[in-house]
Amino acid sequence: HLLTTTVHRHWYAVYVRHNTEFRVESWLREQGIEIYLPVQDVYREHAGKRIKVTKPVISGMLFVCLSRPELTIVEHAPNVHHFFSKRGTNAPLIIPDQQMADFRFMVDLSDTSILMVNEPIAPGTMVTVAKGSMQGIRGEMVKCESKYYIAVRLQELGCALVSVPVSYVRRG
């Protein structure tokens, strides 16, 4: 009879030095760390041409799924500043699996840009997107700057907002 220990892994947000997100991502991946760097394609004008650029959704931040012992690997990684921590403490903030799954789903499916908002947004109605590229995602329908968005809240990090036509959603 073998004694098995369950390793609890949690999602954490990590601040990294400006413009090092992709380098940190590959370094941590080489160390065997489960990592998620949310990116989106944006278009820039350069010398009269439209150029597609892949950028992090949240500048200077990526997400890691770790067990307690792995925290130090990330803390001491090149270009890592620190973990996003609970307000008023130094303890790294755990992001619930469901919030992370909804956020990843949103980033991976969205064909419009995602807006990260830090200021408090009034709770909205829980909805499910019934059609379009975001079909199947659950989130809150919120109003921000007179437009409607689907919001996925990420613990104390804020909200990820994506614009969806109101006709595409249903309550619940």
Side-chain angles (χ1 to χ4, degrees):
H1 178 70
L2 288 170
L3 200 64
T4 56
T5 56
T6 310
V7 175
H8 292 287
R9 302 170 79 76
H10 299 289
W11 283 102
Y12 301 92
V14 179
Y15 286 113
V16 298
R17 234 180 231 110
H18 185 64
N19 284 334
T20 63
E21 297 91 348
F22 294 103
R23 261 182 285 162
V24 172
E25 178 198 27
S26 63
W27 191 88
L28 288 172
R29 192 156 286 164
E30 285 166 17
Q31 310 310 307
I33 300 292
E34 185 180 347
I35 189 161
Y36 178 61
L37 174 59
V39 294
Q40 60 188 355
D41 291 331
V42 291
Y43 290 90
R44 292 258 165 78
E45 287 286 324
H46 184 72
K49 290 186 178 145
R50 245 182 90 156
I51 298 168
K52 186 167 87 167
V53 182
T54 301
K55 285 188 57 169
V57 172
I58 309 169
S59 183
M61 183 176 282
L62 40 84
F63 299 88
V64 289
C65 189
L66 307 169
S67 62
R68 272 242 174 274
E70 292 172 314
L71 287 171
T72 53
I73 295 171
V74 175
E75 271 174 334
H76 297 104
N79 297 308
V80 166
H81 272 300
H82 59 277
F83 283 96
F84 184 87
S85 52
K86 282 185 211 148
R87 226 169 251 125
T89 73
N90 283 333
L93 181 78
I94 292 172
I95 300 167
D97 289 346
Q98 190 57 55
Q99 286 182 10
M100 214 47 222
D102 291 344
F103 178 60
R104 291 179 75 159
F105 194 57
M106 175 190 271
V107 171
D108 295 344
L109 289 183
S110 179
D111 49 17
T112 60
S113 64
I114 291 167
L115 187 65
M116 279 306 292
V117 179
N118 298 71
E119 58 264 17
I121 288 183
T125 307
M126 283 307 287
V127 296
T128 303
V129 180
K131 61 187 197 188
S133 68
M134 302 288 290
Q135 185 173 347
I137 198 159
R138 274 180 52 80
E140 290 173 63
M141 180 65 98
V142 298
K143 200 172 185 176
C144 182
E145 291 162 13
S146 75
K147 281 171 84 182
Y148 284 99
Y149 294 91
I150 295 290
V152 171
R153 294 183 192 271
L154 282 174
Q155 226 36 15
E156 295 171 27
L157 285 171
C159 286
L161 303 178
V162 70
S163 181
V164 173
V166 178
S167 61
Y168 283 20
V169 303
R170 58 179 161 65
R171 281 174 175 265

